[in-house]
Amino acid sequence: MELKDMVRMANQIADFNRAYPHDEAVKETADHISRFWEPRMRKAFFDHIAKGGEGLDPLVREAAALVRKLKPEAA
């Protein structure tokens, strides 16, 4: 998967969940990435965050910490 597509998808998830209160939006974004993204996608996601996470919505960046807790093997 192209990096730009992964960033777009992550940001779309955050946009969808933005209607919830902030903490719930972060949790729901992390939950979606944890449950529906395959391990290779999560690895690419964390690799991108480690390089600065250019283009990722701040909500997605915040959710990344929860994804690490939910799927520690991906971190």
Side-chain angles (χ1 to χ4, degrees):
M1 170 178 285
E2 294 281 331
L3 180 62
K4 65 182 174 93
D5 294 326
M6 183 201 57
V7 168
R8 178 183 49 79
M9 288 172 54
N11 289 343
Q12 285 176 331
I13 295 165
D15 285 342
F16 177 82
N17 288 308
R18 199 173 309 283
Y20 294 112
H22 181 77
D23 290 346
E24 189 174 352
V26 171
K27 179 188 164 300
E28 292 298 325
T29 300
D31 184 59
H32 183 95
I33 291 170
S34 296
R35 291 177 53 200
F36 298 111
W37 284 24
E38 66 172 3
R40 289 178 297 177
M41 287 175 69
R42 289 191 305 267
K43 182 182 180 328
F45 174 68
F46 287 122
D47 288 348
H48 184 59
I49 287 174
K51 294 175 184 172
E54 183 179 344
L56 288 173
D57 186 289
L59 191 74
V60 174
R61 293 173 192 240
E62 194 172 342
L66 288 177
V67 175
R68 288 185 197 275
K69 289 180 185 175
L70 294 169
K71 294 285 186 174
E73 71 278 3

